[in-house]
């Protein structure tokens, strides 16, 4: 079990966020300072709201911005107006996919997916955003080659539209050992090969650090060797998908330095589920852990 943030650590995070100002309560939502926490600027931080969904999106945007977060992942058109209100980017748009298990790996889903993405890509561009998520779906007995061919056939139907509108379609790498049994695109090698076959700067991989630690490890070498195919990163502690603290095995500062060294200018978005009571303090700690 991930160790909760104790009161002393919680207070120290709050003081960092407020520049040392005193608190009248332990609640993060009483913070009045509007100036964002100043990070080093080498990483563009985003966050996935679904991990903090007990906090209403509008209020979450306020708190995330104070920490120095620039974008919110996995938000569709119906909530873009909330992000715009707070001056935050929709750093990884969603809403065109069918599901995690029904994706481009199976030809029977292509018609619906092509329709969905053909409608969504112009919306993303019109709103001023550029990243749109997609999934391979499950393997269901397919070998890699069949899955690669199927994905290529489907994606080639939408990549020209993405190129026209300046939108990057990003397929997420998910582990198939623990969380997403039978997922097709569960290794970076599969995703990299798909990128090579498509041959477009408008198709990249969402490299989920947590998932790839489970299914293949060797994270820094993977970033060094394949960074040109990685358009977005997600973080979480392993095991457990919780805080980026010393109870989990990934050493995020070294990994973030490797990402920065590649010249990456996209987003590193935090997708961990806090176990501590003060979720905003946990998010602040995660951001600072990756501030290199």
């Amino acid at each position: 079990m991930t160790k909760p943030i104790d009161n002393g650590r919680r207070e120290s995070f709050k003081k960092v966020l407020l520049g040392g100002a005193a608190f009248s309560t332990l609640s993060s939502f009483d913070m009045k300072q509007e100036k964002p926490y100043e990070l080093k600027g080498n990483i563009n931080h985003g966050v996935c709201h679904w991990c903090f969904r007990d906090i209403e999106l509008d209020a979450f945007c306020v708190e995330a911005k104070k920490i120095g977060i620039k974008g919110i992942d996995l938000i569709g058109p119906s909530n873009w107006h909330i992000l715009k209100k707070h001056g935050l980017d929709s750093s990884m748009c969603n809403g065109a996919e069918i599901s995690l298990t029904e994706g481009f790996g199976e030809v029977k889903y292509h018609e619906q997916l092509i329709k969905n993405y053909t409608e969504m890509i112009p919306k993303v561009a019109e709103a001023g955003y550029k990243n749109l998520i997609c999934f391979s779906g499950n393997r269901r007995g397919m070998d890699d080659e069949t899955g690669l061919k199927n994905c290529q056939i489907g994606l080639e139907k939408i990549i020209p539209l993405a190129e026209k509108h300046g939108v990057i379609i990003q397929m997420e790498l998910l582990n198939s050992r623990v969380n997403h049994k039978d997922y097709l695109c569960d290794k970076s090698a599969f995703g990299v090969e798909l990128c090579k076959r498509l041959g477009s700067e408008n198709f990249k991989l969402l490299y989920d650090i947590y998932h790839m630690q489970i299914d293949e490890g060797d994270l820094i070498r993977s970033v060094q060797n394949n960074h040109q195919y990685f358009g977005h990163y997600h973080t979480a502690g392993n095991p457990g998908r919780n805080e980026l603290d010393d109870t989990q095995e990934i050493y995020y500062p070294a990994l973030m330095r490797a990402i920065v060294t590649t010249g990456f200018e996209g987003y590193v978005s935090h997708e961990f589920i806090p176990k501590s009571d003060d979720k905003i303090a946990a998010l602040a700690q995660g951001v600072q852990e990756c501030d290199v």
Side-chain angles (χ1 to χ4, degrees), residues 66-132:
K66 289 177 185 177
I67 294 168
I69 284 170
K70 296 180 179 179
I72 311 292
D73 274 24
L74 306 179
I75 300 294
S78 63
N79 283 319
W80 287 344
H81 70 284
I82 298 177
L83 304 192
K84 288 182 181 295
K85 170 185 170 183
H86 295 283
L88 290 168
D89 190 12
S90 183
S91 38
M92 181 58 66
C93 301
N94 70 353
E97 68 281 2
I98 298 173
S99 72
L100 299 181
T101 61
E102 300 162 312
F104 283 98
E106 293 184 271
V107 174
K108 67 182 179 181
Y109 298 122
H110 284 183
E111 182 178 359
Q112 185 62 56
L113 286 167
I114 291 165
K115 179 180 183 295
N116 291 357
Y117 281 86
T118 298
E119 292 173 356
M120 187 64 72
I121 288 168
K123 291 180 182 178
V124 171
E126 184 179 356
Y129 306 134
K130 72 174 187 177
N131 295 320
L132 180 59

Side-chain angles (χ1 to χ4, degrees), residues 11 15 23 28 30 44 52 61 75 78 114 120 142-143 156 181 183-184 189 192 199 201 239 247 249 255 268 278 289:
E11 286 303 311
K15 288 177 181 177
F23 277 78
S28 294
D30 288 332
N44 292 316
F52 301 81
C61 287
I75 300 294
S78 63
I114 291 165
M120 187 64 72
M142 279 185 289
D143 58 35
E156 282 179 340
K181 300 291 186 181
Y183 189 71
L184 176 63
V192 166
E201 287 299 307
T247 67
E249 66 188 2
L255 182 56
V268 174
D278 194 331
E289 184 74 8

